[in-house]
Amino acid sequence: DVVMTQSPLSLPVTLGQPASISCRSSQSLVHSDGNTYLNWFQQRPGLSPRRLIYKVSDRDSGVPDRFSGSGSGTAFTLRISRVEAEDVGIYYCMQGTHWPVTFGGGTKVEIK
Amino acid sequence: EVHLLESGGDLVQPGGSLRLSCAASGFNFIKYAMSWVRQAPGRGLEWVSDISETGGDTYYADSVKGRFTISRDNSKSALFLQMNSLRGEDTAVYYCVRGIVGAFWGQGTLVTVSS
């Protein structure tokens, strides 16, 4: 199975400041169809996960543009340009290129 | 509006069985594969199983293969997960998800396996 490794595990951030989460995969996530199926999910406390980003950098409907995704191959990044209080929660990367789907262990974003 | 509502979670003894259901609405159910993803208390996300649009293809995580069965009733826009031979490590919130772990998730249903 593809191992997804996120860092850091915990990310204390100041309101209004940027934040960045790294996700690395144990093998390339480029699919034979040319797409890279790397998604990012946000899970706010007590709520279900919500997809923010799909195929590395495409934002889901309703997701604020302060969230952006980038990367290629085996290295990916989720960036929050200016952290707001509602961004507190756990963020997961997930790969859908190789069977089975696998998730990163999560990064907890909290306000300093 | 897409809506997924899970039900069927409960406290069950080790070795017992449970059937989870997911009622889907707000989209054309037959056009989408569907998934189950679980989250043990205080832990991360784990894909459990998924099923093709017609139900003809099903896939399982190694941890549940041979014990869990995914199915769907397209006439009722419903997804199911039959869980047999339950173990303590199956304790989790189980989420119904549209697509192969896509954008839309239900609120989850809690399964607790304990004596």
Side-chain angles (χ1 to χ4, degrees), chain A residues 1 39 41 43 47-51 60 92 94 99-105, chain B residues 37 39 43-47 59-60 65 95 100-103 105-108:
Chain A
D1 296 0
N39 301 340
F41 292 84
Q43 187 173 30
L47 297 181
S48 302
R50 166 199 183 194
R51 196 177 70 180
D60 274 282
Y92 297 93
M94 184 217 88
W99 189 91
V101 161
T102 49
F103 292 89
Chain B
V37 174
Q39 185 171 35
R43 305 295 295 273
L45 301 169
E46 179 189 15
W47 169 79
Y59 305 90
Y60 300 93
K65 196 175 298 181
Y95 296 101
I100 306 302
V101 195
W105 296 52
Q107 89 292 339

Side-chain angles (χ1 to χ4, degrees), chain A:
Chain A
D1 296 0
V2 176
V3 177
M4 305 296 288
T5 303
Q6 288 183 233
S7 62
L9 292 181
S10 177
L11 183 56
V13 294
T14 301
L15 288 174
Q17 293 300 302
S20 180
I21 299 171
S22 171
C23 175
R24 292 185 176 272
S25 56
S26 60
Q27 56 185 278
S28 173
L29 298 186
V30 180
H31 194 274
S32 56
D33 66 7
N35 290 307
T36 299
Y37 296 100
L38 186 284
N39 301 340
W40 289 95
F41 292 84
Q42 174 197 60
Q43 187 173 30
R44 291 170 171 154
L47 297 181
S48 302
R50 166 199 183 194
R51 196 177 70 180
L52 300 175
I53 302 285
Y54 62 98
K55 287 195 289 184
V56 181
S57 59
D58 290 336
R59 257 191 315 273
D60 274 282
S61 176
V63 174
D65 60 8
R66 63 178 182 275
F67 290 94
S68 64
S70 63
S72 63
T74 62
F76 305 91
T77 302
L78 175 70
R79 290 188 176 86
I80 310 173
S81 59
R82 294 173 305 280
V83 172
E84 298 188 5
E86 66 179 20
D87 299 336
V88 165
I90 301 176
Y91 292 77
Y92 297 93
C93 60
M94 184 217 88
Q95 69 82 21
T97 296
H98 303 285
W99 189 91
V101 161
T102 49
F103 292 89
T107 294
K108 187 174 185 178
V109 171
E110 53 190 9
I111 305 301
K112 279 183 184 176

Side-chain angles (χ1 to χ4, degrees), chain B residues 82-113:
Chain B
Q82 177 66 42
M83 304 186 295
N84 298 331
S85 303
L86 283 161
R87 306 167 181 168
E89 54 264 37
D90 296 320
T91 294
V93 174
Y94 285 72
Y95 296 101
C96 167
V97 186
R98 193 181 82 169
I100 306 302
V101 195
F104 295 98
W105 296 52
Q107 89 292 339
T109 187
L110 176 62
V111 173
T112 304
V113 184

Side-chain angles (χ1 to χ4, degrees), chain B residues 40-57:
Chain B
R43 305 295 295 273
L45 301 169
E46 179 189 15
W47 169 79
V48 172
S49 179
D50 61 63
I51 186 167
S52 63
E53 293 85 339
T54 63
D57 296 303

